[in-house]
Amino acid sequence: MRKFDRTFAMSSNNKNAWLVVFIASAILLVTSGMRLTVGLFVEPITADTEINIVQISFALAVMQLMWGLSQPIMGGLADKFGALPVLLGGTLLLVLGWLLVPMLISAWGLVLTLGILVAFGTGAGSFSVLMGVTANQISPQQRGTASGIINAGSSFGQFLFAPLVQTLIAVPMIGWNNTFYALAIISLLCLPLSFYLTKGVTAKQTHHNAEGEQKLLQAIKTACKNPSYILIHLAFATCGFHVVFLVTHLPVEVSLAGLQSDVASWSVGLIGLSNVVGSLFVGWCVNRFLCKYILFWMYLSRVILIAIYLFMPQTALTFYIFAIGLGLTWLATVPPTAGAIGKLFGVRYLATLFGFALFSHQIGAFFGAYAGGLAMDYFGNYQYMWYADMLLAFLAAISNLPIKEEKPKIAQ
């Protein structure tokens, strides 16, 4: 009975902290869900305008790179000034970006709107800021589970937005151009969520007393001299190449197979749905196993899945199975990557240090999106991209093994 009372008391004390986790997950559901379904606009825009596959691929590649650049910038601003102004400013940028896309429909217009405004808007309400906020409200033993829940919000957002965006594009009275206005309206949901999220954070500044007063620049210099931190960056960059190549060019791959566009949207949605399961499971694993081994097996599984996919007939069922298999590890790399960085350097500047890792992720993402467009333009298919993807995933797997990491303390 006493054990139950102690457990209940701990649960009550953590109630507000877990509310912060779920609100952060809801914000990520909106921002990441929209960002990860932008690839569905590639075919309708190239069909209705003079913009070609290389030009739109470049704009989306810039979007990925700028989203990555936004992570350490927004994380650093949140560490210095608090998360609320970053989240509110980012939401306004996001709304403006969506509204301007149909008005500036050109190759360079897409670079400005999607590549910069939408990228920084979604970046402000993404992993580095949200995980930085929540990490200081959750005990070290619970951070893996918390990061898994937040990450699941991103994946569930992908599952929800993929069929929604595809449906809106397909409706004659709406089309792809008015769908951007719909996304602008939905983005406004982040405003009240941001107020609720930061309301529970300001009362508890745990990071200042737990880990000293090390300056931000000192923390960055220390991290950059650590070989384990560099290896984390290299592996995460290859993850970005893999994820963004798929999310950008999977609709075209489906079209090359002679299948209808809804196969692509449901495949993207299934990736997100299965990653909800993968994120929650991996978040649980982070509390119990070394992050580097979790990452090793996740990256290696991608090599195996792609190899199987290349030998299978390109049917709708094949794409659905492939999507579910990949979805289990899709963005589930985020909790163990953030967990490894948190173990190495603590959580005081986690938003910034993890933000730099996300920037490396998005450097890989830039090449995944742009190289996919170049391969399609030059070869007429993605065969060599799949081979490159397998090689990079294998290199990512083995690069995690030398990382020095403390054993986790299992949550009670």
Side-chain angles (χ1 to χ4, degrees):
M1 184 67 179
R2 291 178 180 176
K3 184 177 181 181
F4 174 81
D5 290 341
R6 286 196 301 269
T7 303
F8 180 79
M10 290 174 64
S11 176
S12 299
N13 291 334
N14 286 335
K15 181 173 62 176
N16 291 335
W18 285 108
L19 180 60
V20 167
V21 171
F22 285 105
I23 293 173
S25 181
I27 293 174
L28 196 57
L29 182 151
V30 177
T31 59
S32 192
M34 291 188 293
R35 182 177 65 87
L36 291 172
T37 52
V38 173
L40 296 172
F41 290 96
V42 171
E43 283 203 291
I45 289 179
T46 53
D48 292 350
T49 69
E50 296 181 355
I51 300 172
N52 60 43
I53 184 76
V54 174
Q55 291 171 325
I56 194 169
S57 294
F58 178 75
L60 295 184
V62 171
M63 177 184 179
Q64 299 299 335
L65 188 63
M66 290 299 102
W67 182 88
L69 179 62
S70 75
Q71 295 303 290
I73 293 175
M74 297 301 181
L77 290 173
D79 280 336
K80 188 172 181 64
F81 301 108
L84 182 59
V86 173
L87 291 167
L88 295 182
T91 300
L92 296 178
L93 276 179
L94 181 58
V95 172
L96 179 63
W98 292 133
L99 291 175
L100 288 178
V101 173
M103 303 178 190
L104 301 174
I105 195 67
S106 66
W108 289 107
L110 290 179
V111 170
L112 172 63
T113 54
L114 294 178
I116 298 177
L117 295 178
V118 170
F120 272 85
T122 54
S126 196
F127 297 105
S128 61
V129 173
L130 297 176
M131 288 189 174
V133 170
T134 56
N136 290 291
Q137 307 300 305
I138 299 295
S139 70
Q141 293 80 14
Q142 295 170 321
R143 286 173 191 156
T145 302
S147 62
I149 293 171
I150 295 171
N151 199 57
S154 169
S155 305
F156 194 63
Q158 184 177 338
F159 171 72
L160 292 178
F161 276 95
L164 173 63
V165 168
Q166 187 65 58
T167 300
L168 292 175
I169 291 173
V171 175
M173 295 294 292
I174 300 177
W176 61 265
N177 48 351
N178 288 320
T179 300
F180 286 113
Y181 297 137
L183 293 177
I185 295 172
I186 296 172
S187 300
L188 293 173
L189 291 172
C190 293
L191 293 176
L193 289 172
S194 298
F195 280 107
Y196 281 116
L197 175 69
T198 54
K199 181 180 179 181
V201 174
T202 54
K204 191 177 181 183
Q205 300 294 330
T206 56
H207 50 265
H208 286 294
N209 53 40
E211 297 174 44
E213 293 296 330
Q214 185 187 35
K215 299 300 182 182
L216 176 59
L217 187 59
Q218 293 174 328
I220 295 172
K221 288 180 178 179
T222 300
C224 290
K225 294 177 181 178
N226 191 310
S228 293
Y229 187 60
I230 302 303
L231 289 172
I232 289 172
H233 277 252
L234 293 175
F236 217 29
T238 64
C239 178
F241 181 95
H242 168 88
V243 167
V244 174
F245 161 62
L246 282 169
V247 80
T248 303
H249 295 283
L250 186 61
V252 181
E253 177 82 350
V254 169
S255 179
L256 289 174
L259 302 172
Q260 294 185 355
S261 59
D262 61 343
V263 175
S265 62
W266 279 109
S267 295
V268 173
L270 285 171
I271 289 173
L273 184 62
S274 59
N275 195 231
V276 173
V277 178
S279 295
L280 294 175
F281 176 69
V282 169
W284 177 86
C285 288
V286 167
N287 293 330
R288 290 159 175 81
F289 307 105
L290 290 175
C291 294
K292 64 179 184 178
Y293 293 139
I294 298 171
L295 290 166
F296 169 81
W297 288 109
M298 292 172 75
Y299 289 126
L300 189 62
S301 71
R302 295 179 180 182
V303 180
I304 298 170
L305 281 168
I306 294 171
I308 293 173
Y309 164 75
L310 293 177
F311 283 101
M312 293 184 69
Q314 291 191 320
T315 65
L317 181 60
T318 296
F319 280 104
Y320 295 152
I321 294 173
F322 183 53
I324 292 171
L326 286 174
L328 292 174
T329 67
W330 186 247
L331 289 174
T333 54
V334 170
T337 301
I341 294 173
K343 288 180 184 179
L344 286 169
F345 309 108
V347 299
R348 171 62 182 96
Y349 295 113
L350 179 62
T352 304
L353 296 179
F354 183 52
F356 276 111
L358 282 166
F359 181 44
S360 294
H361 183 279
Q362 295 309 111
I363 291 175
F366 173 88
F367 289 106
Y370 190 43
L374 292 174
M376 183 62 196
D377 184 61
Y378 189 80
F379 298 109
N381 58 57
Y382 297 111
Q383 192 72 17
Y384 290 104
M385 286 295 295
W386 291 117
Y387 296 149
D389 202 9
M390 291 173 65
L391 175 61
L392 290 173
F394 178 75
L395 293 175
I398 61 175
S399 67
N400 279 282
L401 295 178
I403 292 173
K404 297 185 181 301
E405 177 187 353
E406 293 182 1
K407 293 183 178 180
K409 298 177 181 179
I410 299 177
Q412 301 296 322

